[in-house]
Amino acid sequence: MVSAKFEVYRFDPAKDAAPHYDQYSLEMAAHTPVLTALLRIRSEVDPSLTLRYSCRSAICGSCAMQVNSKSRLACETQVGPEMERNGRIVVEPMRNQAVLRDLVVDQEPFWRQYDKIQPHLILDPRHPMPEGKENPMTPAQVERFHETPRCIACAACFSACPAVEADPGFPGPMALAKLYRFVVDPRDQAHQARLLAIQPGGLWTCLRCHLCTEACPKDVRPSERIRDLKEMAIRVQGATENGSRHAVGFKENIRERGVLSEAKLVRQTSGIAGMVGQLGQGVRIYRKKPEILKSPHPIEGLDEVRKIYAALDHPEGDPP
Amino acid sequence: MQRHEVVVVGAGLAGQRAALAAIQAGRDVAVVSKLHPLRSHSGAAQGGINAALGKEDSVDTHIYDTVKGSDYLGDQDAIEFFCREAGPTVVEMEHFGTIFSRGDDGSLARRAFGGAGFPRTIYAADRTGLALLQGLWERLGTERFTLYEEWDLTDLVVRDGRVHGIIAFDRKGGDFEEIAAKSVVLATGPFGRVYGRTTNAHSCTGDGVAVAYAAGAYLKDMEFVQFHPTALLESGILITEGARGEGGILKNAAGERFMSRYAPHVLDLASRDVVSRAIVTEVAEGRGFDGPFGKYVHLELMHLGKEKVMSRLQEIVDYCRNFAGIDPVTEPIPVYPGQHYMMGGIGTDIRGATNIRGLFAAGEGACVSIHGANRLGGNSLLETLVFGKEAGIAAAAHAETAPKPEMHSADLDAVVAPLRAWSNRKDGEDPTALREEMQTTMDRYVGIYRNEADLLEGLKRIRAIKARFPNVHVVDQSHVYNLNLTDALEVGHMLELAETIVVGAYARTESRGAHARTDYPKRDDARWMRHTLAQKTPQGPSLSYSPVTYTRWEPKERVY
């Protein structure tokens, strides 16, 4: 048994000017889920505590919230380890979505991004589905979905994502993982159009921080699928955005000398016109670090680097 | 007031499929749900969906297995239709975008399930419900309809034997609203939460079943409740039959593999009702374990080895670690049977029609009946889709010719006035306490083994709780997301349904399928080969009976 100390975010727009935290102390087994503890608070202490929940077994995606600052499902977060780690259990609503009441957030921005990626099979009427039969799909084709079919749309990733916070137009990890699921679906007939639409549509806003993958309770690994989308987008379209030009430029830059030529990378990413816009910043960097304009010497073992590039350029079993 | 031609309540697989069918028939459709559709309990289904697609299999074998599984209480015309629709239904879901597991040749993979003559259960890993729910929601998302999300169903408006619409509580907006409709499809799922030990989600409170009952619809075969043998002790979370399929064994406190006494041939893989009864018997005779969360037996996977457990039963490992704090690779899993599935529900015909004009129902909350006294694994997902579609088509057809619904402001006032009183009183009954008492009562007196004395006691207690319900007190005074009000609405619904279960079980003096009476241990076809129909009266449910429909299969003793 542990004495669990909860600090729970409370806000009722009908009567509160600002949110506050209520404290509760309860005795419970160490493996008790935070959700069970919150439901005990509702039935034993305060029935007005408001949260979303349903299945209590990590499959419906209702009870995502922040527990000790991490976005996760309350139903599969145990009280004991949280007490050990933090000495108390701070329960707050998810981030990047407005609070409606207590732990309930307005998921409209999350679903809007989901809708925007056209989350359904797009078919070409010239290639109808087989009449009365399933489309064949090899186990290898099923593998290409990776873990994306496990997504329960709990929005923990959306809550954890700093790019969503910085840019409300960014689709967010869940929508992009869902987009990936359609891009690799052999039944979908708009792969190219989806990839053409997404590169200027915010794909490169992803910071590659992997917080989404850390937050995901179902191991969907959205950041890895976003990486795959970036590769596929460059392949069908070339590098059209600062983000993709930066990625491609980085690769070509290092190929040359085995070490980064920073000044050149700026040109590769932003182009000459873009560099003009960044002139002030460039001058400031030059004053502190004048060697930045010099091309670095090729490194020793450049042959090894070139071998790596050769392997990368002709991988066995091309990725999607 | 909102107006639509067809209102579908519930957005799990049955509700979504009904909505799609009604939209495709050209009707203006609204979907009302207390959860976002992707959070529906359909998504929790693990095992698979049956369709006789294998070369060696046949629709007739599927029909026979279902008839036999039902202990001859299923209507055979409905079962024949159901099994014929299985193949096209699964293929359609594949075309909608569902990601199924595949065989090496690229066809839909199939696995063996209890009570089936051939491997005919199509699956998507151990998350088939989620895969279907995603595929259908993606397809439905391409259509135009109105979604009322996080609305609680409070009432049906029925006048002159005809539906005129529904009344629901908008959690976010904080108010009761009327939605007028020519046709209403109820697809609100089961009511497993009348029990405390259940694999069902918290939201499975039978709201649609209860409002239909209140409006005069017949509830059919409510006494037939399926218990799953291996629910995780404390939480009741389902540990799939696959755990025993992979070689897991059940042991009592003496370390005996007790299933050898109950089913010497198939042992731990006997049918669900047999294994559940065996566990209850072991515990009742003092051979169970005892702990702070009640008595139990062990499900052991340790002998299978870490590699097998981790690769084949990954979800189970997660459940045990995250919800019970144990590691099934090195420790036994404490299990005890838990309520799992409701065979009974709103009585419908094959088209989803009820005894009220304009009212249709589908899914686990409805009873056609195809499952009869006992459902086979893999048939419930199929039922949601086959009969969801039928109900949607029938609701659309009815709406095409039905007169304009008439809703009066008095309808809303009549429903809302008592609910307002719940919030306005200073003191009264706590809805969560009433719920807990109801659940304890159902667990104790209306469980796997039943007898006259227990059922009478259970009925007395349920009625006593029900009598306290009108004095329920909603403490939370906020209008925004008032879950305290939802608690009260739900327990009010469940108390009515619990009563119909007990009354039906008391009256049925035989043992059939999941209904096991120790005082009447034999199936009695001469007296009881008939469906129970419960209709609401001020004194409680009034029972009548209707015949079972037969086509080709004569009743036989059910042995596996």
Side-chain angles (χ1 to χ4, degrees):
Chain A
M1 298 295 275
V2 291
S3 291
K5 301 200 184 334
F6 288 89
E7 292 176 24
V8 182
Y9 179 101
R10 305 298 306 269
F11 176 67
D12 180 352
K15 63 178 189 48
D16 300 333
H20 63 280
Y21 289 78
D22 277 346
Q23 302 196 349
Y24 309 94
S25 292
L26 296 161
E27 295 287 317
M28 57 188 69
H31 68 264
T32 306
V34 169
L35 175 64
T36 307
L38 294 172
L39 296 182
R40 262 188 65 191
I41 293 170
R42 286 197 71 230
S43 62
E44 294 171 23
V45 189
D46 184 355
S48 74
L49 175 61
T50 305
L51 67 154
R52 285 195 179 99
Y53 63 96
S54 180
C55 77
R56 60 75 169 91
S57 58
I59 197 70
C60 77
S62 298
C63 68
M65 54 187 71
Q66 292 190 83
V67 181
N68 286 335
S69 302
K70 285 194 189 292
S71 297
R72 51 196 310 180
L73 297 178
C75 70
E76 62 164 20
T77 304
Q78 292 175 16
V79 165
E82 292 302 313
M83 282 302 296
E84 262 172 47
R85 194 160 64 81
N86 205 43
R88 58 190 179 140
I89 301 170
V90 183
V91 184
E92 295 166 301
M94 280 195 282
R95 293 158 60 87
N96 297 332
Q97 296 150 92
V99 176
L100 293 172
R101 184 178 174 188
D102 295 348
L103 303 169
V104 176
V105 296
D106 183 359
Q107 301 214 275
E108 192 278 334
F110 171 73
W111 292 120
R112 180 161 27 93
Q113 296 298 345
Y114 166 81
D115 287 338
K116 255 171 46 183
I117 61 108
Q118 297 193 278
H120 52 84
L121 289 182
I122 298 176
L123 303 177
D124 182 339
R126 289 169 301 179
H127 305 287
M129 296 257 179
E131 182 81 29
K133 276 187 65 188
E134 76 266 28
N135 295 280
M137 201 187 288
T138 62
Q141 286 175 313
V142 175
E143 286 276 298
R144 283 180 58 188
F145 290 111
H146 290 282
E147 299 298 315
T148 55
R150 292 186 68 188
C151 175
I152 55 171
C154 66
C157 60
F158 193 83
S159 168
C161 179
V164 168
E165 188 177 357
D167 174 9
F170 178 56
M174 182 272 194
L176 288 172
K178 188 62 76 177
L179 175 72
Y180 171 89
R181 166 253 173 282
F182 285 101
V183 167
V184 299
D185 193 320
R187 298 167 294 189
D188 190 82
Q189 286 153 356
H191 296 170
Q192 190 129 349
R194 289 180 189 277
L195 288 169
L196 289 173
I198 195 62
Q199 195 170 189
L203 184 62
W204 294 93
T205 309
C206 167
L207 306 166
R208 292 170 293 158
C209 68
H210 301 288
L211 286 175
C212 53
T213 292
E214 191 186 302
C216 178
K218 305 310 279 187
D219 203 27
V220 170
R221 311 186 81 77
S223 56
E224 295 182 11
R225 304 292 77 81
I226 294 171
R227 176 203 63 203
D228 294 342
L229 283 174
K230 285 173 174 174
E231 283 180 25
M232 288 188 272
I234 290 174
R235 207 168 308 147
V236 299
Q237 194 176 22
T240 62
E241 304 298 302
N242 278 355
S244 47
R245 279 193 299 264
H246 183 80
V248 172
F250 207 99
K251 179 180 161 198
E252 294 312 318
N253 192 312
I254 296 211
R255 186 203 295 270
E256 247 169 60
R257 294 161 197 270
V259 64
L260 192 66
S261 167
E262 293 182 59
K264 194 171 177 185
L265 182 62
V266 177
R267 195 182 74 228
Q268 283 167 320
T269 302
S270 310
I272 300 290
M275 284 177 79
V276 173
Q278 296 172 41
L279 206 58
Q281 196 185 0
V283 168
R284 278 197 301 279
I285 294 172
Y286 174 73
R287 280 195 182 135
K288 284 191 176 165
K289 200 179 166 188
E291 67 274 16
I292 191 151
L293 285 184
K294 290 192 193 133
S295 290
H297 293 294
I299 60 161
E300 270 181 54
L302 189 57
D303 287 353
E304 293 300 312
V305 172
R306 298 235 159 107
K307 274 185 203 158
I308 293 171
Y309 271 81
L312 282 174
D313 286 344
H314 303 285
E316 289 174 53
D318 235 8
Chain B
M1 189 197 316
Q2 311 292 330
R3 286 185 177 276
H4 298 278
E5 288 179 287
V6 176
V7 167
V8 178
V9 191
L13 287 173
Q16 287 188 34
R17 191 62 191 82
L20 180 60
I23 294 165
Q24 286 174 329
R27 303 277 72 81
D28 164 39
V29 175
V31 174
V32 180
S33 174
K34 64 179 178 180
L35 299 171
H36 184 281
L38 284 175
R39 314 216 182 286
S40 305
H41 193 52
S42 300
Q46 296 172 4
I49 177 167
N50 290 339
L53 294 177
K55 282 193 185 69
E56 74 285 15
D57 203 355
S58 73
V59 170
D60 264 9
T61 325
H62 186 190
I63 297 169
Y64 171 70
D65 288 341
T66 304
V67 167
K68 178 181 168 190
S70 80
D71 220 350
Y72 298 90
L73 194 68
D75 289 314
Q76 296 182 4
D77 55 341
I79 294 173
E80 289 197 34
F81 171 77
F82 169 71
C83 296
R84 286 206 181 90
E85 287 296 306
T89 299
V90 170
V91 167
E92 180 180 73
M93 289 305 297
E94 197 280 332
H95 288 187
F96 285 175
T98 303
I99 301 169
F100 287 107
S101 296
R102 300 287 179 146
D104 288 338
D105 62 350
S107 65
L108 300 171
R110 287 171 282 120
R111 60 164 58 127
F113 244 52
F118 294 99
R120 72 165 69 97
T121 305
I122 320 283
Y123 61 95
D126 51 1
R127 47 169 189 276
T128 313
L130 182 67
L132 292 169
L133 195 62
Q134 289 171 346
L136 186 53
W137 180 240
E138 286 156 10
R139 174 64 186 80
L140 186 58
T142 64
E143 304 287 346
R144 290 178 72 88
F145 64 99
T146 310
L147 176 64
Y148 297 94
E149 186 186 329
E150 298 191 315
W151 285 42
D152 289 301
L153 175 65
T154 57
D155 243 302
L156 271 177
V157 178
V158 174
R159 210 175 297 113
D160 310 322
R162 185 162 73 82
V163 158
H164 296 268
I166 67 163
I167 293 169
F169 177 70
D170 170 9
R171 289 185 190 173
K172 186 175 168 185
D175 225 331
F176 293 90
E177 302 264 359
E178 301 154 283
I179 307 178
K182 293 175 176 175
S183 299
V184 171
V185 181
L186 296 174
T188 57
F191 33 96
R193 284 276 157 178
V194 300
Y195 287 88
R197 285 196 49 74
T198 174
T199 62
N200 281 195
H202 287 282
S203 52
C204 296
T205 55
D207 304 319
V209 185
V211 302
Y213 178 58
Y218 286 109
L219 303 187
K220 194 194 285 176
D221 294 339
M222 292 293 280
E223 63 270 31
F224 293 99
V225 179
Q226 184 171 76
F227 291 82
H228 197 286
T230 58
L232 205 50
L233 182 64
E234 186 184 355
S235 58
I237 288 171
L238 179 66
I239 302 295
T240 177
E241 217 158 274
R244 280 169 288 137
E246 296 293 346
I249 53 175
L250 293 160
K251 283 192 179 171
N252 63 19
E256 293 172 312
R257 188 176 185 182
F258 58 85
M259 281 311 297
S260 61
R261 286 202 298 279
Y262 302 87
H265 301 294
V266 287
L267 295 164
D268 304 272
L269 276 173
S271 70
R272 284 177 186 176
D273 48 348
V274 174
V275 181
S276 289
R277 289 196 279 267
I279 295 172
V280 172
T281 305
E282 288 299 301
V283 166
E285 293 178 358
R287 293 187 295 276
F289 297 90
D290 203 354
F293 305 110
K295 295 183 170 143
Y296 58 94
V297 297
H298 277 163
L299 172 62
E300 293 191 353
L301 306 179
M302 300 96 77
H303 59 286
L304 301 178
K306 185 173 180 177
E307 196 182 321
K308 186 169 183 181
V309 175
M310 293 300 290
S311 63
R312 306 268 180 90
L313 299 167
Q314 180 58 51
E315 296 288 335
I316 298 310
V317 173
D318 283 355
Y319 286 150
C320 291
R321 289 180 180 169
N322 294 333
F323 302 110
I326 59 144
D327 184 351
V329 174
T330 56
E331 296 166 88
I333 309 171
V335 295
Y336 193 78
Q339 189 282 340
H340 183 56
Y341 187 87
M342 294 296 182
M343 268 71 76
I346 303 166
T348 73
D349 64 12
I350 292 179
R351 309 290 161 221
T354 69
N355 58 313
I356 296 173
R357 263 181 299 147
L359 182 66
F360 303 83
E364 191 175 339
C367 180
V368 179
S369 149
I370 48 159
H371 307 307
N374 176 60
R375 174 184 68 88
L376 289 190
N379 270 354
S380 56
L381 286 175
L382 181 60
E383 180 192 20
T384 63
L385 296 167
V386 169
F387 292 107
K389 178 180 171 186
E390 291 306 310
I393 291 170
H398 179 265
E400 207 167 351
T401 56
K404 214 175 145 203
E406 296 165 31
M407 295 278 267
H408 310 313
S409 58
D411 295 331
L412 184 64
D413 297 343
V415 171
V416 173
L419 307 188
R420 293 265 185 250
W422 299 352
S423 300
N424 291 338
R425 58 176 55 114
K426 292 276 167 281
D427 201 9
E429 299 286 347
D430 172 6
T432 59
L434 293 178
R435 184 176 64 208
E436 213 173 296
E437 286 180 48
M438 168 191 68
Q439 291 172 337
T440 315
T441 304
M442 294 299 284
D443 284 348
R444 164 65 185 84
Y445 298 101
V446 199
I448 291 170
Y449 279 121
R450 299 158 175 192
N451 64 63
E452 183 177 300
D454 278 357
L455 291 168
L456 272 179
E457 181 63 24
L459 183 60
K460 197 176 94 188
R461 288 173 185 244
I462 290 293
R463 286 192 164 149
I465 302 165
K466 210 180 122 188
R468 286 155 57 199
F469 177 73
N471 193 35
V472 72
H473 182 205
V474 172
V475 174
D476 188 355
Q477 296 293 311
S478 179
H479 284 289
V480 186
Y481 275 89
N482 191 327
L483 288 192
N484 198 204
L485 177 63
T486 300
D487 286 337
L489 287 168
E490 288 176 344
V491 75
H493 291 156
M494 287 192 290
L495 281 166
E496 295 288 343
L497 301 177
E499 188 185 15
T500 64
I501 295 171
V502 194
V503 168
Y506 174 74
R508 187 174 283 272
T509 49
E510 67 158 349
S511 291
R512 180 186 298 271
H515 174 66
R517 288 279 302 249
T518 52
D519 43 357
Y520 298 93
K522 290 257 184 299
R523 194 175 85 190
D524 181 355
D525 287 346
R527 287 189 63 204
W528 288 109
M529 187 84 79
R530 45 192 195 153
H531 297 295
T532 307
L533 299 177
Q535 200 168 30
K536 189 171 176 171
T537 73
Q539 291 75 41
S542 149
L543 299 188
S544 56
Y545 294 90
S546 70
V548 174
T549 307
Y550 292 91
T551 55
R552 291 184 276 164
W553 288 273
E554 284 294 315
K556 285 190 288 197
E557 196 188 345
R558 182 170 153 251
V559 267
Y560 287 105

